Amino acid sequence: KAGVTQTPRYLIKTRGQQVTLSCSPISGHRSVSWYQQTPGQGLQFLFEYFSETQRNKGNFPGRFSGRQFSNSRSEMNVSTLELGDSALYLCASGQAGALYEQYFGPGTRLTVT
Amino acid sequence: AQKVTQAQTEISVVEKEDVTLDCVYETRDTTYYLFWYKQPPSGELVFLIRRNSFDEQNEISGRYSWNFQKSTSSFNFTITASQVVDSAVYFCALSRTGNQFYFGTGTSLTVIP
């Protein structure tokens, strides 16, 4: 079974631009969560989608948004990029009903210059 | 509020030594889940173990063992006879709902050959 895939793996953007990151969960998984990892703040929860609905949201500004498609693939969008948005963005998928095991993708390394 | 503390930022051990990674958590919930993840240099978080709050049995898996003590709100991780391949950042995490994780800041383990 293929694991969680994230595209692109690396991205360089300029301050003020916007970016869209993509996550394809493990086949059959309907839950997708996003995390931001930075050296200063560590791993922080962004949001979680299940069956195309956002179920939980972390404490991030509205510039961070996401969505999930009917095939469970998810996208995360960051608008008006700031230098502090430079981070590793990790996506995790989980099965409905299979409690609390999340499988993480390799992440997208975003650098904002 | 949920919080996970990993007081050890960096640990270095010589190969074949035993090492214990500490994890202390805070939660007011009676039902919760604790996890350990390994993050090798590639960046992908690898699931190691999940424990629910009602199961305080210690667990051993090969060279890995976990000690869960509700009385001290701790969920410590021991690697016996460490190997160079164990070098990674290890994260302890807490989840109340299963779809939102609170991570500790991680412990970077270096095993010196």
Side-chain angles (χ1 to χ4, degrees):
Chain A
K1 206 182 230 187
V4 178
T5 58
Q6 292 187 246
T7 56
R9 291 293 311 279
Y10 302 92
L11 204 49
I12 298 175
K13 288 287 188 178
T14 303
R15 199 168 40 179
Q17 288 185 315
Q18 77 161 21
V19 67
T20 299
L21 312 182
S22 180
C23 171
S24 293
I26 292 172
S27 178
H29 287 192
R30 292 164 61 191
S31 168
V32 174
S33 300
W34 289 90
Y35 293 82
Q36 180 196 64
Q37 185 176 21
T38 60
Q41 299 297 319
L43 276 155
Q44 292 186 290
F45 173 77
L46 280 155
F47 29 66
E48 187 244 356
Y49 286 87
F50 182 83
S51 292
E52 302 178 64
T53 301
Q54 187 182 85
R55 286 204 297 194
N56 289 285
K57 189 176 190 305
N59 189 25
F60 277 81
R63 300 185 297 106
F64 292 82
S65 62
R67 59 178 176 169
Q68 186 180 33
F69 301 95
S70 58
N71 61 358
S72 294
R73 188 178 71 85
S74 177
E75 287 183 347
M76 191 193 94
N77 185 275
V78 188
S79 62
T80 320
L81 283 165
E82 300 177 0
L83 295 179
D85 297 332
S86 294
L88 179 67
Y89 290 87
L90 291 163
C91 162
S93 78
Q95 281 180 306
L99 293 179
Y100 317 134
E101 264 186 52
Q102 292 196 24
Y103 297 86
F104 284 81
T108 294
R109 174 75 64 185
L110 171 65
T111 302
V112 182
T113 61
Chain B
Q2 326 290 323
K3 185 179 178 182
V4 175
T5 301
Q6 294 180 257
Q8 304 152 308
T9 305
E10 295 181 2
I11 300 177
S12 290
V13 297
V14 176
E15 200 170 22
K16 296 184 184 176
E17 286 185 343
D18 299 346
V19 59
T20 295
L21 310 183
D22 298 333
C23 172
V24 175
Y25 63 92
E26 295 175 31
T27 181
R28 292 182 180 178
D29 297 303
T30 54
T31 301
Y32 52 89
Y33 297 80
L34 295 164
F35 302 79
W36 276 95
Y37 281 87
K38 174 182 179 180
Q39 187 176 43
S42 60
E44 187 169 340
L45 283 166
V46 178
F47 169 83
L48 294 177
I49 191 173
R50 176 190 73 230
R51 257 292 176 264
N52 72 56
S53 53
F54 299 108
D55 183 1
E56 286 193 72
Q57 270 194 327
N58 292 330
E59 181 157 339
I60 298 174
S61 176
R63 297 183 297 107
Y64 295 171
S65 63
W66 291 269
N67 184 291
F68 176 27
Q69 292 195 344
K70 288 179 73 172
S71 60
T72 56
S73 297
S74 65
F75 186 42
N76 296 336
F77 172 31
T78 297
I79 302 175
T80 303
S82 59
Q83 300 177 1
V84 172
V85 292
D86 296 326
S87 296
V89 180
Y90 291 86
F91 290 93
C92 180
L94 168 69
S95 178
R96 177 170 57 86
T97 61
N99 43 30
Q100 180 172 354
F101 281 30
Y102 297 88
F103 283 90
T105 50
T107 297
S108 178
L109 173 66
T110 300
V111 180
I112 303 165

